[in-house]
Amino acid sequence: EKGGWSSFMAKEINEEPEAVLNTTLGRVHEGVVDIDELAGLDELFARIDRIVVVASGTAAYAGQVGKYAVERWARVPVEVQLSHEFRYSDPIITPETLVVSISQSGETMDTLLAVKYAAEHGAKTLSICNTQGATIPRESDAVVYTHAGPEVAVASTKAFVAQITALYLFGLHLARVRGTLDADAIAAQTEELLAVPAKIRQILETETAEVARLAHWMADSRAILFLGRHVGYPIALEGALKLKELAYIHAEGFAAGELKHGPIALIEPGQPVFVVVPSPRGSETMHSKVVSNIQEIRARGARVIAIAETGDVAVLPFADEVIRIPLAAPFFEPLLAVIPLQVFAMELSSAKGLDVDQPRNLAKSVTVE
Ligand code: M6R
């Protein structure tokens, strides 16, 4: 069943290019995004004034990445709530609120209860789900399936990139309906999205050996930190979660700008820190701020592993190691930067002789509250 791979996780990481591609199939036609499952919802989409994403774990991080793009493209405020917090926060729900749930399994109890709560309080509900006919899509007003194929390993990988893909398609569909992006702008984003699968494949081919070497080198680390900014921030959080669940190493993700507000006190000589570096072509200011962050932690002895786009030479004087990702427009960098972090956690888990597919204490889908 593993098709020659050492674990389901290794197989599923290798399937990420197809997970992205298959999620776009039939939904992008010559630069126009039209999701069949959303036909008939134009009137709703035109009047919503707020989107609340409910999800847990990795799915919630996909929601955090999607928030930036949906807000930018469709000009609707998006907030991301952990599904288990949602019902207890007396959330403000009106008929103009769209609640979007994200779940690989479609069976996560906390997310299901959040969706039911939202519906009972008058919101419309949309499910982004990887499992045909699961409970959450059945309980929702509409569903956009991700087409990652069955995910067996407890650690979510291909479902994550498929969830971001589905959110981006949803954001572009919404932007068309709401008239917030013109046709050329939508076409340009679809072109970027359709280029992602080949770029993921390239990362898997060129960076895996180097990432495995790093994982062996860091196998005895007590703590590993991850920094990112903007869409790179949820990627830092996801990199840390993967490492916790797979390698049982204390790991934390931070927004790079928060460093000086506290976390920089953690830096001591030899502390490994992964930094997701945004492209200078997206925002030069943001890029140079992250490079300054690298300098600050390096000056305090951190061992910096930068994930930076090909050709970014500004990181070279300061980073101990550089993992390269192909050039992409800013919103599409997360779909690339997450790949080496997933591979790193998997390699570190196997370097420690742990069960990559079935980490201790965890279940693939959490069907209890
Ligand atoms: O099936 P779901 O997407 O609703 O699952 C949500 C989380 O339980 C899941 O993403 C979890 O965080 C993964 N083990 C992360 O790798």
Side-chain angles (χ1 to χ4, degrees):
E1 278 180 337
K2 291 181 202 158
W5 294 92
S6 55
S7 61
F8 279 106
M9 187 179 179
K11 173 174 179 276
E12 288 161 5
I13 288 176
N14 188 62
E15 289 168 348
E16 291 188 83
E18 289 73 33
V20 172
L21 179 70
N22 291 342
T23 300
T24 67
L25 290 183
R27 293 166 172 172
V28 183
H29 316 268
E30 292 172 1
V32 179
V33 178
D34 197 352
I35 305 179
D36 288 346
E37 295 101 311
L38 302 180
L41 296 178
D42 285 13
E43 183 273 328
L44 171 72
F45 288 163
R47 72 178 158 82
I48 52 171
D49 62 10
R50 189 161 145 264
I51 294 174
V52 182
V53 173
V54 291
S56 303
T58 290
Y61 296 144
Q64 286 190 29
V65 173
K67 166 188 160 81
Y68 293 93
V70 175
E71 287 190 338
R72 174 75 65 83
W73 296 336
R75 307 313 293 165
V76 195
V78 179
E79 94 191 52
V80 182
Q81 291 252 0
L82 292 169
S83 49
H84 36 92
E85 289 287 323
F86 179 69
R87 279 174 305 142
Y88 303 102
S89 63
D90 192 10
I92 298 165
I93 299 172
T94 72
E96 277 67 50
T97 307
L98 176 68
V99 170
V100 177
S101 66
I102 309 174
S103 176
Q104 187 286 130
S105 61
E107 301 295 344
T108 299
M109 184 56 76
D110 288 318
T111 306
L112 172 63
L113 293 175
V115 169
K116 284 187 170 170
Y117 182 99
E120 278 158 18
H121 288 76
K124 287 284 177 222
T125 60
L126 167 67
S127 153
I128 292 180
C129 183
N130 197 47
T131 311
Q132 294 279 335
T135 312
I136 296 173
R138 278 193 279 114
E139 289 286 334
S140 303
D141 296 310
V143 52
V144 174
Y145 282 108
T146 48
H147 296 295
E151 195 180 59
V152 177
V154 165
S156 187
T157 54
K158 62 176 181 172
F160 178 70
V161 291
Q163 284 159 351
I164 294 173
T165 302
L167 281 164
Y168 283 9
L169 291 170
F170 165 67
L172 293 170
H173 180 109
L174 207 55
R176 177 177 51 77
V177 172
R178 293 168 65 88
T180 48
L181 280 189
D182 63 26
D184 287 349
I186 293 176
Q189 302 300 337
T190 63
E191 208 174 302
E192 282 284 341
L193 181 58
L194 296 177
V196 165
K199 294 178 186 178
I200 295 180
R201 179 67 63 211
Q202 187 184 329
I203 296 168
L204 291 171
E205 278 164 12
T206 62
E207 304 304 298
T208 304
E210 173 68 1
V211 172
R213 185 185 65 76
L214 290 175
H216 278 82
W217 162 60
M218 284 189 252
D220 295 326
S221 302
R222 288 194 52 228
I224 299 182
L225 305 179
F226 296 78
L227 297 181
R229 229 185 152 102
H230 190 251
V231 281
Y233 171 40
I235 296 304
L237 298 173
E238 171 63 5
L241 176 63
K242 286 282 98 75
L243 199 60
K244 283 177 234 191
E245 65 176 338
L246 288 164
Y248 317 154
I249 292 180
H250 181 75
E252 241 188 300
F254 299 108
E258 272 293 292
L259 260 187
K260 55 184 167 304
H261 301 286
I264 199 164
L266 290 169
I267 306 296
E268 55 186 17
Q271 171 64 56
V273 185
F274 279 83
V275 183
V276 180
V277 183
S279 162
R281 294 168 305 113
S283 155
E284 228 170 281
T285 330
M286 205 159 68
H287 174 262
S288 66
K289 285 194 169 152
V290 173
V291 173
S292 308
N293 292 141
I294 295 178
Q295 285 175 264
E296 286 155 16
I297 56 173
R298 186 69 190 294
R300 290 161 178 85
R303 295 215 53 161
V304 176
I305 305 100
I307 300 177
E309 74 172 19
T310 307
D312 180 350
V313 289
V315 296
L316 288 176
F318 313 112
D320 295 277
E321 312 281 345
V322 183
I323 297 165
R324 292 297 184 186
I325 58 172
L327 273 57
F331 284 128
F332 300 89
E333 288 170 17
L335 290 164
L336 308 181
V338 76
I339 307 295
L341 297 179
Q342 295 168 342
V343 173
F344 176 73
M346 176 181 72
E347 292 290 345
L348 213 152
S349 166
S350 73
K352 289 178 80 168
L354 301 172
D355 186 338
V356 170
D357 288 333
Q358 181 49 75
R360 69 185 179 200
N361 308 341
L362 291 171
K364 179 63 183 163
S365 69
V366 184
T367 51
V368 290
E369 252 191 285

